[in-house]
Amino acid sequence: MTQKNVMQLVGVNKSFKAADGTARLVLDQVDFELKEGEIVALLGKSGSGKSTLLRIMAGLIPADQGQMTYRDRAIDGPVAGVAMVFQSFALFPWLTVQQNVELGLEAQGVPAAERELRADAVLELIGLAGFGGALPRELSGGMKQRVGIARALVTNPDVLLMDEAFSALDVLTGETLRNDMLDLWEHSKISTKGILVVSHNIEEAVMMADRVIILGSDPGRVRCEVKIDLPRPRDVESLEVRTLIDEIYGLMTMRHVHDASVGEATHHLGYRLPDTDISRIEGVLDLLADSPFNGRADLPQLAQETELSDEELFPTYEALSLLGLATIDQGDISLTPLGSRYVEADKQNKQELFGQQLLTHVPLASHIRRHLENEANGSLAEAPLLELLEEFMKEDEAKRVLEIAIEWGRYGEVYEYDYHTGRLTLPDGDED
């Protein structure tokens, strides 16, 4: 029997204006469908437009191009049958749990008595019976997210969109809440006909979804899809699940070789530097070089060993690949000869190697260094650099990228930075 589409997107494009007024493409020709009776997980690094895509589907923001339909009707504003759960809980701190849950019903004009009955029922369903009178500050993170989910479910949504709904929670709490949601879904305790989960967590995606869609970045476009036919509940330690996790790790990390947009982006100033720091880069290198890995590791196994999330590790893998310290292929990571030299080097030689690789492979760092060498006083304000980056990305992203470039450059002794004046300078001894 053919499953009916609940939501469908065809050829969706979305751009945001940079500081200079030019359009920056965030989503490029995205095709997507959510069918009745399925859970779909959406994976992709920062910059892939996952959250933007969810907001388009919910009718919160318009697309620039393409067709968006819900139950064969065009999406041209907020969709009554669609509810959304946010990573940040998004609770009103001055309202009780009961009042927070009733908000959506109140907006729909539901009478007070019915609102109370429906809120009580969904709070019991989600495991919060007796907490209706509590304020958000009195709740744990997991309980706050249960309130966020209850607020979405109380409207009896046809489609549930979950934007990193479990990522702000500790591992055990997130896993418990995820399993509770799957139990409600599997036993038809909720009216929802389709769920879309945006996640950074590959294991979470495999444990929940019937399909996993991977987005490329800058701009976001659908790169591949993995169908999962395993019955739920799934055993995370089973061979079938571990094989799927390995496969998706491999597909996620293939971007270094096969994602043309990223390959091109690394060669200009608009490349979105991976959000990781020196200590994490060196920590992963040291772990990779040590026993039992001895220079080569399966990425899921390395993730277990580090006890870091995929959200933390994927930028680190990207940085290692970018700097030529490791290579990634089919879900495995291997030290390069340079990476092995780096691990064995003393701190001074580490910094020297890092600086050399930074100037060779990171255009923003070489741009800063070149301009410093051309300035008579060997000094450069950060403001023009931020303006330059804002031609390619949003203001907050530009600030983050510059902060990373500054941290990496200071460690590699490529340039210095004065946090009081906001100026970059050549290191002592390099002025001449």
Side-chain angles (χ1 to χ4, degrees):
M1 183 177 176
T2 304
Q3 291 172 291
K4 184 177 180 181
N5 281 342
V6 184
M7 303 193 81
Q8 186 170 26
L9 278 62
V10 179
V12 167
N13 281 20
K14 181 65 180 178
S15 298
F16 290 110
K17 284 189 177 180
D20 64 351
T22 59
R24 183 176 68 85
L25 192 60
V26 176
L27 294 172
D28 182 29
Q29 293 296 304
V30 173
D31 296 335
F32 170 80
E33 56 187 27
L34 178 66
K35 296 182 180 297
E36 279 193 355
E38 73 170 353
I39 300 174
V40 175
L42 196 60
L43 296 175
K45 62 171 268 189
S46 296
S48 60
K50 302 186 301 295
S51 294
T52 299
L53 189 61
L54 249 66
R55 281 157 177 75
I56 289 174
M57 294 175 68
L60 300 179
I61 58 174
D64 298 333
Q65 293 179 334
Q67 298 177 336
M68 297 78 64
T69 57
Y70 163 69
R71 297 289 184 185
D72 299 324
R73 298 190 300 271
I75 297 173
D76 53 12
V79 183
V82 177
M84 198 161 176
V85 180
F86 301 91
Q87 174 184 357
S88 60
F89 314 140
L91 304 181
F92 290 98
W94 59 88
L95 298 181
T96 66
V97 166
Q98 183 91 14
Q99 291 167 332
N100 268 286
V101 172
E102 288 185 17
L103 275 176
L105 297 177
E106 186 176 355
Q108 293 177 0
V110 176
E114 184 181 345
R115 290 202 308 264
E116 183 177 356
L117 287 174
R118 286 170 64 174
D120 284 344
V122 79
L123 285 172
E124 182 173 356
L125 188 69
I126 204 71
L128 287 176
F131 286 91
L135 290 169
R137 67 170 180 268
E138 301 173 286
L139 306 178
S140 66
M143 293 172 75
K144 288 177 184 176
Q145 191 57 293
R146 286 180 185 272
V147 177
I149 292 171
R151 183 177 55 194
L153 294 179
V154 77
T155 61
N156 295 321
D158 194 26
V159 173
L160 187 63
L161 307 177
M162 307 188 78
D163 191 4
E164 303 278 2
F166 310 116
S167 64
L169 309 175
D170 64 80
V171 174
L172 184 58
T173 302
E175 184 178 333
T176 300
L177 187 49
R178 181 185 76 206
N179 290 338
D180 287 349
M181 279 298 301
L182 287 174
D183 181 69
L184 296 177
W185 169 264
E186 291 295 326
H187 293 90
S188 301
K189 296 177 182 178
I190 54 178
S191 62
T192 305
K193 297 298 189 295
I195 298 177
L196 177 60
V197 179
V198 163
S199 180
H200 275 100
N201 188 318
I202 292 174
E203 181 179 299
E204 175 181 288
V206 172
M207 293 297 286
M208 291 190 74
D210 301 294
R211 286 189 293 135
V212 174
I213 293 175
I214 299 173
L215 292 182
S217 302
D218 294 314
R221 52 170 68 97
V222 175
R223 205 177 59 199
C224 57
E225 175 182 313
V226 178
K227 293 184 178 180
I228 302 176
D229 295 323
L230 301 177
R232 288 181 289 259
R234 295 166 184 163
D235 178 3
V236 72
E237 298 300 333
S238 70
L239 177 61
E240 295 87 351
V241 167
R242 301 316 303 178
T243 299
L244 279 165
I245 290 172
D246 280 351
E247 179 185 350
I248 294 173
Y249 262 99
L251 292 169
M252 288 284 288
T253 54
M254 277 173 64
R255 64 178 179 263
H256 300 293
V257 179
H258 300 289
D259 194 328
S261 64
V262 173
E264 293 163 5
T266 59
H267 290 93
H268 68 69
L269 295 174
Y271 171 55
R272 195 188 307 260
L273 288 172
D275 194 355
T276 190
D277 56 33
I278 303 299
S279 61
R280 191 167 294 157
I281 290 171
E282 294 192 340
V284 170
L285 277 176
D286 289 341
L287 186 62
L288 185 57
D290 204 357
S291 178
F293 300 120
N294 299 319
R296 184 178 181 88
D298 172 67
L299 290 178
Q301 186 182 358
L302 187 64
Q304 285 185 329
E305 192 70 24
T306 61
E307 297 184 350
L308 295 174
S309 68
D310 294 333
E311 185 176 3
E312 295 167 309
L313 283 172
F314 272 102
T316 307
Y317 299 151
E318 185 175 346
L320 291 170
S321 179
L322 173 68
L323 296 169
L325 300 173
T327 58
I328 299 173
D329 184 45
Q330 298 296 319
D332 290 337
I333 183 169
S334 304
L335 284 178
T336 61
L338 181 66
S340 296
R341 278 178 52 206
Y342 188 95
V343 171
E344 297 297 327
D346 59 25
K347 183 179 179 181
Q348 182 176 347
N349 283 322
K350 275 188 167 80
Q351 290 178 278
E352 184 179 341
L353 282 171
F354 195 94
Q356 291 170 357
Q357 295 304 103
L358 190 65
L359 289 174
T360 301
H361 298 290
V362 178
L364 178 57
S366 59
H367 174 87
I368 293 171
R369 175 70 189 210
R370 185 168 60 252
H371 277 258
L372 286 172
E373 290 173 347
N374 290 334
E375 291 290 331
N377 62 355
S379 174
L380 182 66
E382 69 174 339
L385 293 169
L386 281 171
E387 290 176 5
L388 179 63
L389 290 174
E390 286 170 15
E391 295 179 13
F392 306 101
M393 58 193 78
K394 293 180 183 178
E395 182 181 348
D396 59 335
E397 294 169 335
K399 184 177 180 182
R400 181 192 64 79
V401 166
L402 185 58
E403 287 173 350
I404 294 167
I406 287 171
E407 181 197 351
W408 290 10
R410 291 180 70 234
Y411 180 76
E413 298 185 330
V414 173
Y415 37 75
E416 292 295 337
Y417 177 74
D418 189 321
Y419 287 92
H420 297 291
T421 64
R423 298 189 70 85
L424 292 114
T425 57
L426 289 171
D428 292 339
D430 286 5
E431 290 87 349
D432 298 330

